[in-house]
């Protein structure tokens, strides 16, 4: 049975191939008058099952795309439309960037408190989208439980990279790398609120 016919039987219309990754193929379509993404398992088994597991948990905290339904080898969730984060950073002013980065950091903070590692946040070029004043992360197939999660610290690595830090400085941010690294060391010991706030302060998000 072809992909279009298989998912048409589930009520998904206008199905077309959207992207192909290392571990899955993503299609987009329309389900009950809204855009959806259909992620189909590739040669690496178990990743879709893992993504479903974590979307079910994290949707309770409004993290990740809204899970709609799933079956063996595929998952269907709301299609996340918007600008990739890197494009948003290039095209937006400091005020807008501040709003989005604070919202994103609060989600990453929630992941850390849940002792969950999303992975890939030190180079999130394809995994974070911005639309209006909202931000949404996708791709949770590598997500896993970890007593020492690195979501906040990995994303800080991204912001402190030469290219991104220069971009943020050009927007008016004062990126104090030395102090950020120092505060991250404190934060990673017990993930307390005060050290988290100091990390944000040294990025200029205050």
């Amino acid at each position: 049975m072809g992909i279009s016919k298989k998912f048409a039987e589930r009520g998904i219309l206008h199905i077309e191939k959207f992207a192909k990754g290392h571990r899955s193929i993503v299609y987009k379509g329309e389900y009950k008058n809204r855009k959806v993404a259909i992620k189909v398992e590739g040669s690496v088994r178990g990743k879709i099952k893992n993504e479903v597991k974590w979307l079910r948990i994290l949707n309770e905290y409004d993290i990740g795309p809204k899970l709609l339904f799933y079956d063996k080898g595929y998952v269907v969730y709301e299609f996340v439309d918007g600008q990739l984060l890197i494009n948003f950073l290039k095209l937006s002013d400091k005020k807008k960037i501040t709003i989005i980065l604070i919202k994103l950091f609060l989600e990453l903070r929630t992941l850390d408190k849940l002792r969950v590692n999303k992975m890939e946040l030190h180079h999130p070029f394809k995994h974070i989208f911005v639309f209006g004043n909202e931000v949404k992360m996708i791709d949770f197939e590598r997500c896993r439980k970890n007593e020492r999660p690195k979501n906040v610290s990995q994303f800080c690595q991204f912001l402190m990279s030469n290219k991104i830090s220069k971009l943020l400085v050009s927007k008016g941010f004062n990126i104090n790398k030395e102090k950020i690294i120092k505060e991250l060391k404190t934060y990673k010991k017990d993930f307390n609120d005060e050290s988290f706030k100091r990390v944000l302060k040294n990025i200029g998000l205050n």
Side-chain angles (χ1 to χ4, degrees):
M1 184 186 298
I3 287 292
S4 294
K5 185 176 180 180
K6 176 180 179 178
F7 291 113
E9 291 180 352
R10 296 297 305 263
I12 303 175
L13 306 174
H14 312 303
I15 299 165
E16 58 182 276
K17 191 173 181 179
F18 182 69
K20 187 177 187 301
H22 298 299
R23 296 172 292 273
S24 59
I25 300 173
V26 179
Y27 299 84
K28 68 177 181 178
E30 187 177 306
Y31 178 71
K32 295 183 178 179
N33 296 315
R34 56 181 166 181
K35 290 183 182 179
V36 296
I38 311 157
K39 182 178 281 191
V40 179
E41 193 165 56
S43 58
V44 181
R45 302 301 177 186
K47 296 299 182 182
I48 295 296
K49 183 178 180 180
N50 191 60
E51 180 150 31
V52 168
K53 169 188 171 180
W54 287 109
L55 284 179
R56 291 178 69 182
I57 294 169
L58 297 175
N59 275 183
E60 295 294 320
Y61 301 88
D62 198 27
I63 295 175
K66 184 177 180 180
L67 175 65
L68 298 175
F69 59 88
Y70 58 91
D71 208 330
K72 185 178 180 180
Y74 74 85
V75 58
V76 179
Y77 50 76
E78 284 190 338
F79 188 83
V80 177
D81 217 348
Q83 286 181 293
L84 286 166
L85 178 64
I86 183 64
N87 295 332
F88 169 78
L89 295 177
K90 290 177 180 177
L91 297 172
S92 302
D93 59 25
K94 183 180 180 181
K95 182 178 180 180
K96 290 181 180 179
I97 293 172
T98 298
I99 292 169
I100 291 300
L101 289 185
I102 289 175
K103 287 188 175 183
L104 181 54
F105 265 112
L106 289 174
E107 290 195 7
L108 301 179
R109 168 79 171 133
T110 297
L111 292 177
D112 280 351
K113 290 168 74 175
L114 291 171
R115 298 299 191 263
V116 175
N117 238 4
K118 184 186 182 300
M119 310 292 285
E120 300 172 327
L121 286 165
H122 56 293
H123 51 78
F125 294 103
K126 298 179 181 179
H127 310 120
I128 302 175
F129 289 83
V130 180
F131 45 99
N133 285 330
E134 300 300 324
V135 62
K136 188 70 70 175
M137 293 185 282
I138 65 168
D139 290 339
F140 289 82
E141 57 193 33
R142 294 183 64 199
C143 198
R144 64 190 183 194
K145 196 75 174 175
N146 192 314
E147 287 304 309
R148 308 305 299 173
K150 300 178 180 179
N151 302 289
V152 168
S153 58
Q154 279 196 347
F155 190 64
C156 284
Q157 288 177 34
F158 169 69
L159 296 184
M160 290 189 293
S161 64
N162 286 336
K163 181 179 179 181
I164 305 302
S165 63
K166 287 179 180 177
L167 174 59
L168 291 176
V169 168
S170 74
K171 300 289 183 173
F173 289 89
N174 180 21
I175 308 295
N176 193 322
K177 294 183 182 181
E178 186 176 331
K179 288 187 177 180
I180 293 170
I181 292 169
K182 179 182 177 182
E183 294 300 341
L184 282 173
K185 288 179 180 178
T186 302
Y187 170 75
K188 288 188 288 186
K189 289 178 181 178
D190 56 10
F191 302 103
N192 70 73
D193 287 334
E194 290 307 312
S195 56
F196 173 69
K197 290 176 183 177
R198 289 195 295 269
V199 169
L200 297 193
K201 180 179 179 180
N202 286 297
I203 296 171
L205 300 174
N206 54 356

